[in-house]
Amino acid sequence: MDRTSMMYKMYDKKGPKVAENFNKRGFEAYYCPTKDEALQKAISLIPEDHVVSWGGSVSINDIGLRPYVLEHRQVIDRDTAKTPEERQKLLRQALLCDTFIMGTNAATEDGQLYNIDGTGNRVAALIFGPKQVLVIVGMNKVEPTLEAAITRARSVASPMNMQRFSKKTPCALTGMCADCLSPDSICNQMVRTRRCAPAGRIKVILVGENLGF
C-alpha cells in the first residue's frame, strides 16, 4: 500500500468520528470519502431556490462546488463587480444570502473550526447572517487540538494564501508567520467556532482527501 492510500485509509477511519464530534456541538456534519461524494452531498443540502454566495476558498473549487452553483443556482458573485464600491456592495449583500459556502483554515478532532480573515467578510457570514453556512473541510486540515489548529492556520494556511496575492508581508517573502502588523496582513480577524447555534445552521462536510491549504 502506498503512502497516499495509507493516508486515505486513515482519513476514512478518523473522519466519521470527527463528524460525530461536530454533531455533538450542534453542527450538522457529514463525512464523505471522496470529492465527488462531497459534491453530491453539498448539492443535496442547497435548495434549488436558495441564493448562494461564498468566501475566498480553494476547497469549494477543489470539489467543484463553486462551478456548480454558478451554473445551477442564483448567486451573489463579488467577482462580477466593475468597481471597488460595487464589490463592497456585493460583499455586504452576501451576508444576507440563503446559503454561504466556504472552506476553513483548520478544524479540530473534537469538532471545532478555526479561521483567519483579512477583511472579515467570510467569518462574518460564518457567525451570523446567511440562513445556512456550508463548510467544506479536507481531512488534511483536521488537527488533534485547538492549539495545533491555530498553529496550522497561522503557519500553513495564511503563508500559503499570501503566495496567491501580490502583497508585501513577511510571510509572503519568507513563508513563515512573523505575527506582523503589515498594512497588507490578511491575519486580522481570528475566529474560533466551538459550537453551532442555532443548531444545524452550520453544515460541515469532511472530505477524505486533501483540499485547499
Side-chain angles (χ1 to χ4, degrees):
M1 184 181 296
D2 62 31
R3 184 176 300 180
T4 299
S5 297
M6 288 188 289
M7 178 178 62
Y8 288 170
K9 186 175 182 179
M10 179 188 69
Y11 288 167
D12 286 344
K13 291 181 177 180
K14 182 164 70 171
K17 178 61 178 177
V18 176
E20 180 182 331
N21 289 338
F22 270 104
N23 284 318
K24 290 177 181 177
R25 292 176 177 267
F27 299 87
E28 183 178 323
Y30 305 88
Y31 176 72
C32 296
T34 68
K35 290 185 286 188
D36 289 341
E37 290 173 271
L39 175 60
Q40 294 308 311
K41 173 55 71 174
I43 291 169
S44 75
L45 295 173
I46 305 174
E48 292 185 5
D49 62 347
H50 269 208
V51 176
V52 180
S53 195
W54 51 84
S57 169
V58 173
S59 296
I60 64 175
N61 289 324
D62 283 348
I63 70 166
L65 182 56
R66 183 171 173 268
Y68 180 89
V69 297
L70 278 167
E71 183 175 351
H72 298 281
R73 298 290 190 273
Q74 182 180 345
V75 302
I76 299 171
D77 184 357
R78 64 191 180 186
D79 292 332
T80 62
K82 302 294 193 299
T83 65
E85 293 76 18
E86 184 182 359
R87 183 179 176 86
Q88 285 298 312
K89 182 178 179 180
L90 291 172
L91 286 170
R92 291 189 178 94
Q93 289 177 357
L95 297 178
L96 295 176
C97 71
D98 298 306
T99 295
F100 190 87
I101 59 177
M102 58 180 283
T104 191
N105 296 128
T108 65
E109 290 179 355
D110 68 354
Q112 302 182 67
L113 300 173
Y114 191 82
N115 283 283
I116 294 178
D117 237 10
T119 61
N121 64 294
R122 184 172 60 104
V123 295
L126 174 65
I127 294 168
F128 185 81
K131 291 179 181 177
Q132 67 171 4
V133 179
L134 188 54
V135 187
I136 307 302
V137 185
M139 286 297 293
N140 56 305
K141 296 185 178 182
V142 177
E143 297 288 352
T145 65
L146 178 62
E147 291 73 19
I150 294 171
T151 297
R152 185 191 193 284
R154 300 200 66 182
S155 299
V156 178
S158 292
M160 288 189 71
N161 267 307
M162 283 305 302
Q163 304 311 308
R164 296 191 293 157
F165 307 130
S166 299
K167 295 185 177 183
K168 297 179 180 178
T169 64
C171 70
L173 299 174
T174 69
M176 296 183 290
C177 178
D179 196 25
C180 75
L181 298 177
S182 167
D184 285 340
S185 175
I186 60 170
C187 298
N188 301 320
Q189 318 293 332
M190 301 182 183
V191 174
R192 169 195 178 192
T193 308
R194 63 175 294 273
R195 186 173 173 275
C196 178
R201 175 180 171 270
I202 301 172
K203 296 169 174 59
V204 175
I205 298 179
L206 295 152
V207 187
E209 298 192 38
N210 293 342
L211 303 178
F213 40 76

